[in-house]
Amino acid sequence: MKALVISVDMGELDYAAHAEEFLMLAQGAGAQIVDVVVAKRSRPDAAHFIGSGKLEEAVLRADEHQAEIILFDQPLSPAQQRNLERSFQRRVVDRVILILDIFALRAQSHEGKLQVELAQLQHLSTRLTRMWTHLERQQGGIGVRGPGESQLELDRRMIGDKVRKLRERLDKLQRQRTTQRRARLRNSAFSVSLVGYTNAGKSTLFNALTQSKAYAADQLFATLDTTTRRVWIEGAGQVVMSDTVGFIRDLPPTLIAAFRATLEETIHAQLLLHVVDASSSQRDEQVHEVHKVLEDIGAAEIPRVLVYNKIDETEFEPRIERDEHGNIARVFVSALTRNGLDLLRDAIVEIGQTQQNTAFHVKNL
């Protein structure tokens, strides 16, 4: 589908990375980008987010390139989206809707699909008026006001019922997941979750460590469904390893809420391997974004090791780095070439034994 992208520079230091990331999201959704319009704003315009002059330019360029859809790299209010669609006479998709669309495209498991559908419905419920713009063009009168309002309330009620049923089904799946987690704890298996920014190479690392074949690709949000495998690591014994959904800046709150059940694998892990794309110029900002999401889901206090992946694309050598207390802080590896994976396994063993010894001492105090 031919798409015109509107990129808004709000003066942030990371604007270039933000803009590039949005283009990757658009391409990941299957868009054929025909043009990019860059607008500079100190703050959003209440009606259209961008100014009237830039809007006129964007409409002309959309017509010139015969764009079928407008992709906007900022979250839009319902009113802004509605006003832009009137101006362009085309569908306008903002950053939140685009991410939701990609999640819908990539979800494979039953639970993943339910979570995406819940997030989409919650988002849609705030924008129902956009679907009834034909009523706004009529100035009321007999047979217009009542039915219009009734239809809107009917839609709201239908969405509310569907949201409630989806939550009930997800709650049931969450209870099953909790039962499985308790069984794993009874079996004394050390639990490790891989977290990180999208496209950091988590699934490739997961496959290398567990000898499994979880889907891995060089694209944003290749993995949406948590995959869990048991792996034997000499010195640590049975380790339960989980691969989780990748994070991204400005992740829609509805998605975090919908995926909370899946992300609970992260909350209940004994160790987080925070996988970082060592080759990315934005790696420090990406680390910060992941830390923010971990705080949001209540996983900030779980022991964490930064795993700098993709060192085959950098000048980094495989190694372990420690903090001022002698604790393992960073491990440098390449999941693709498997260089440094032995060091990562050693790190898992050391941290697992430390936790075990600490638990033993606490128990015997």
Side-chain angles (χ1 to χ4, degrees), residues 12-307:
E12 304 102 329
L13 293 175
D14 63 347
Y15 163 69
H18 184 279
E20 181 184 351
E21 187 174 88
F22 187 75
L23 293 179
M24 287 181 68
L25 286 169
Q27 289 160 351
Q32 177 194 343
I33 299 168
V34 293
D35 201 358
V36 178
V37 175
V38 178
K40 291 192 175 184
R41 298 286 303 178
S42 57
R43 62 179 184 272
D45 174 74
H48 298 97
F49 203 105
I50 57 176
S52 56
K54 189 58 71 171
L55 177 59
E56 286 177 18
E57 176 193 338
V59 170
L60 288 172
R61 284 163 71 170
D63 291 340
E64 178 189 344
H65 293 286
Q66 298 182 320
E68 300 165 84
I69 194 168
I70 308 301
L71 303 180
F72 210 95
D73 77 347
Q74 300 284 340
L76 296 169
S77 71
Q80 286 168 338
Q81 185 177 354
R82 189 164 61 248
N83 292 338
L84 286 167
E85 288 186 337
R86 283 187 186 135
S87 298
F88 281 102
Q89 291 296 299
R90 294 168 175 85
R91 185 162 178 245
V92 173
V93 170
D94 71 356
R95 181 184 174 85
V96 174
I97 298 173
L98 185 63
I99 291 175
L100 288 170
D101 187 68
I102 291 173
F103 270 57
L105 189 66
R106 303 269 165 77
Q108 297 295 320
S109 72
H110 175 59
E111 186 176 15
K113 289 174 180 176
L114 290 179
Q115 288 168 329
V116 173
E117 187 178 357
L118 175 59
Q120 287 178 315
L121 285 172
Q122 288 174 319
H123 186 71
L124 177 64
S125 66
T126 65
R127 298 170 184 254
L128 274 180
T129 51
R130 183 173 70 84
M131 305 172 69
W132 297 96
T133 50
H134 65 280
L135 294 177
E136 297 168 10
R137 289 195 293 269
Q138 303 177 41
Q139 299 301 312
I142 298 170
V144 176
R145 276 192 305 269
E149 290 165 357
S150 298
Q151 181 64 61
L152 203 53
E153 288 305 313
L154 181 62
D155 272 22
R156 284 205 179 104
R157 189 159 55 250
M158 286 172 64
I159 287 179
D161 289 345
K162 190 73 185 286
V163 164
R164 180 178 50 78
K165 287 175 183 174
L166 284 170
R167 280 185 174 146
E168 288 173 358
R169 290 163 73 184
L170 283 168
D171 285 345
K172 183 178 178 182
L173 289 169
Q174 186 175 5
R175 288 194 293 273
Q176 291 173 357
R177 195 186 288 276
T178 301
T179 302
Q180 292 166 353
R181 193 182 299 118
R182 284 175 181 157
R184 292 204 301 266
L185 286 172
R186 282 197 298 272
N187 294 332
S188 301
F190 188 57
S191 58
V192 178
S193 276
L194 276 65
V195 299
Y197 208 77
T198 184
N199 208 32
K202 292 184 303 301
S203 296
T204 304
L205 181 61
F206 177 82
N207 289 340
L209 288 170
T210 63
Q211 306 295 314
S212 59
K213 295 180 180 178
Y215 180 67
D218 183 19
Q219 59 187 20
L220 302 184
F221 301 120
T223 302
L224 291 186
D225 303 303
T226 297
T227 307
T228 301
R229 296 283 184 273
R230 284 181 174 269
V231 58
W232 176 269
I233 297 180
E234 194 65 41
Q238 285 282 358
V239 174
V240 174
M241 200 160 288
S242 298
D243 182 23
T244 59
V245 60
F247 303 143
I248 195 169
R249 74 191 80 205
D250 305 323
L251 196 64
T254 48
L255 265 181
I256 295 176
F259 274 75
R260 189 167 291 276
T262 299
L263 292 171
E264 280 200 347
E265 290 297 332
T266 301
I267 301 170
H268 294 282
Q270 292 164 281
L271 172 65
L272 300 182
L273 298 181
H274 178 170
V275 185
V276 181
D277 181 353
S279 68
S280 171
S281 61
Q282 295 291 310
R283 61 176 179 265
D284 293 339
E285 290 83 354
Q286 292 172 358
V287 166
H288 177 67
E289 291 294 331
V290 172
H291 284 177
K292 282 196 326 194
V293 178
L294 290 175
E295 285 180 10
D296 288 344
I297 64 174
E301 301 303 316
I302 298 171
R304 192 183 321 163
V305 170
L306 289 170
V307 181

